[in-house]
Amino acid sequence: MASHPSSDGGSGGSTPLVVCFGEMLIDFVPTVAGVSLAEAPAFEKAPGGAPANVAVGVARLGSSSAFIGKVGDDEFGHMLANILKQNNVDNSGMRFDHNARTALAFVTLRADGEREFLFFRNPSADMLLQESELDVDLIKKAAIFHFGSISLIEEPCRSAHLAAMKIAKSSGCILSYDPNLRLPLWPSPEFAREEIMSIWDQADVIKINEEEITFLTGGDDPNDDSVVQNKLFHPNLKLLIVTEGSQGCRYYTQDFKGRVPGVKAKPVDTTGAGDAFVGGILYRLAADLNLYKDEKKLRDALFFANVCGAVTVMKRGAIPALPTKDAVLKFIEKDASKSETN
């Protein structure tokens, strides 16, 4: 397996494969910023779903990625499959359901800065992926297998998710987990906490944010290292990352821990910033599967991932805003020259 991404920027299959599993849906976003869903005069459709965003993020940076999930056999489902293809993501693991629709989510950022979600899933196609529909060969080819927690909410998708993880684990994949908490989708907070934690100790790499730490620990201080290390770091974990938005991120491994500051960017829309960050770190991890063992290399990769997130907030939408490697490097150069002149 090649240890470095090919420099041609394409997903030529010569780079270790990142396979992302889970939901892909359509976000409907108001054409006007800072209004509630009820006040929105009109909506724009945007492709969404964290695992799919991450797959595109990895491919945009120039590495190989694939997406496994289910959409409706409808206009929206085929549109999403095409968007992946246009972005060099292998979509051969996608399935189309004849009886269920592609999931829809209406999302707005109100004037008070709170995000408001309204989901249409009753049930949506992504919840109906069955174990028998998994592309086993594609999972076995992966160097990294990435997933969230939304696919754990309902059967049959939950069983398909657990089976996919098992295949990935036995093939020697690195398992990457971003719980991506969306409480409105879960029957209750207790059930969400239980299910999210049920696969916690199987992951090699976990990315969470401060709000998720408070939720998963039952109200503990997200900034307290001992909370993170005693309650969330498990013996098999190689890397735990806590993202802090524009402030940067913290990292914890078996041997060291630290903080990497964020970079300043003018936010237009924060949608997809976390997924861009994950895409950035998985891109660097695919190029060097032992990245977490070398603190200097890890810090460099996390700074790169922070920049991926920063570049994304400067544009509207998730997938349209995900950066190329050139955009990230340009931003880093500009940022460096700014700090030199200050």
Side-chain angles (χ1 to χ4, degrees), residues 6 8-15 62-64:
S6 56
D8 63 4
S11 102
S14 59
T15 62
S63 216
S64 309

Side-chain angles (χ1 to χ4, degrees), residues 57-304:
V58 169
R60 279 263 170 96
L61 292 166
S63 216
S64 309
S65 70
F67 173 74
I68 292 179
K70 202 174 201 186
V71 290
D73 188 7
D74 50 36
E75 289 273 328
F76 285 153
H78 291 285
M79 178 190 111
L80 292 174
N82 282 333
I83 285 169
L84 290 181
K85 201 172 168 185
Q86 286 157 13
N87 283 285
N88 289 326
V89 176
D90 179 342
N91 65 6
S92 60
M94 278 182 92
R95 301 292 176 257
F96 298 88
D97 197 296
H98 304 295
N99 302 313
R101 296 274 180 236
T102 300
L104 309 180
F106 287 79
V107 188
T108 190
L109 195 60
R110 299 194 309 235
D112 59 7
E114 281 303 306
R115 276 168 83 178
E116 197 182 336
F117 289 96
L118 186 58
F119 292 98
F120 285 73
R121 292 157 57 88
N122 189 28
S124 54
D126 59 292
M127 300 152 74
L128 300 174
L129 181 72
Q130 301 194 31
E131 190 179 332
S132 60
E133 295 175 303
L134 290 173
D135 188 332
V136 174
D137 290 339
L138 188 58
I139 299 170
K140 284 181 174 171
K141 274 187 216 150
I144 300 169
F145 183 72
H146 175 73
F147 47 88
S149 69
I150 288 171
S151 38
L152 296 170
I153 299 174
E154 294 267 1
E155 289 293 0
C157 188
R158 183 178 180 275
S159 292
H161 178 136
L162 297 176
M165 277 174 60
K166 206 171 171 180
I167 296 162
K169 196 88 173 163
S170 63
S171 312
C173 294
I174 288 178
L175 266 55
S176 160
Y177 185 21
D178 175 3
N180 197 32
L181 180 67
R182 291 283 176 267
L183 265 183
L185 289 178
W186 291 87
S188 73
E190 296 70 36
F191 182 64
R193 194 176 292 120
E194 202 176 292
E195 284 297 302
I196 287 171
M197 294 309 289
S198 70
I199 58 169
W200 199 259
D201 61 352
Q202 293 184 55
D204 300 299
V205 176
I206 295 175
K207 174 255 168 196
I208 42 172
N209 61 31
E210 295 162 294
E211 182 197 339
E212 288 161 348
I213 294 176
T214 304
F215 175 75
L216 293 173
T217 57
D220 286 356
D221 177 5
N223 298 305
D224 184 343
D225 274 353
S226 61
V227 166
V228 176
Q229 286 172 298
N230 299 335
K231 293 200 171 183
L232 297 174
F233 201 92
H234 64 76
N236 305 319
L237 198 53
K238 295 179 169 77
L239 175 62
L240 176 69
I241 303 166
V242 179
T243 52
E244 302 174 335
S246 59
Q247 298 304 301
C249 64
R250 282 177 276 155
Y251 58 89
Y252 303 83
T253 72
Q254 307 275 3
D255 303 313
F256 45 76
K257 63 178 201 282
R259 228 181 138 261
V260 178
V263 288
K264 282 193 173 65
K266 222 179 168 138
V268 175
D269 176 12
T270 57
T271 313
D275 301 330
F277 176 93
V278 175
I281 197 65
L282 295 186
Y283 162 75
R284 293 293 288 263
L285 185 60
D288 177 3
L289 296 170
N290 290 310
L291 182 67
Y292 55 89
K293 292 178 180 170
D294 180 324
E295 191 166 13
K296 190 180 177 305
K297 281 183 182 172
L298 178 63
R299 289 183 64 87
D300 183 51
L302 289 168
F303 177 71
F304 179 88

